[in-house]
Amino acid sequence: QVQLVESGGGLVQAGDSLRLSCAASPRRNLGTYSLGWFRQAPGKGREFVAAIKWSDDTTLYGNSVKGRFTVSRDNAKNTVYLQMNNLKPEDTAIYYCTARLSVVTDYEAMWPGWGQGTRVTVSS
């Protein structure tokens, strides 16, 4: 199990941008992993947001964030980022980072676990 720590959440207004970070242990080799972002809005189930395969930068996005969010990684910092632009009130949620061996997928059950997440609130 890869230990991950999310950060970067906050309160913003609609139209603003925010960048979330997901940091893994510096000594952890992520070469065989994909890292994903999910979110859970109040009273709703968990929703796939984006994922990136560490070895080749293959990415996958949920339909609701395509064109607005970008997932990227920094090999030197062992960190994955989620750049969120043109935020909308419906983006309000707790955002979770997770990791799995092998390829990216938007199927929640294929991701092994969740951390504490970081809260994003978008006001209208």
Side-chain angles (χ1 to χ4, degrees), residues 64-70 83-88 91:
S64 61
V65 306
K66 280 181 183 176
R68 298 189 299 124
F69 290 12
T70 303
Q83 178 67 43
M84 306 185 294
N85 297 330
N86 190 23
L87 282 161
K88 304 176 181 180
D91 295 317

Side-chain angles (χ1 to χ4, degrees), residues 54-99:
W54 196 267
S55 62
D56 63 10
D57 287 333
T58 298
T59 57
L60 185 66
Y61 293 94
N63 288 333
S64 61
V65 306
K66 280 181 183 176
R68 298 189 299 124
F69 290 12
T70 303
V71 61
S72 63
R73 63 172 182 84
D74 185 327
N75 195 51
K77 296 182 178 180
N78 244 22
T79 297
V80 169
Y81 301 102
L82 184 67
Q83 178 67 43
M84 306 185 294
N85 297 330
N86 190 23
L87 282 161
K88 304 176 181 180
E90 51 263 43
D91 295 317
T92 294
I94 298 175
Y95 284 70
Y96 300 91
C97 180
T98 182

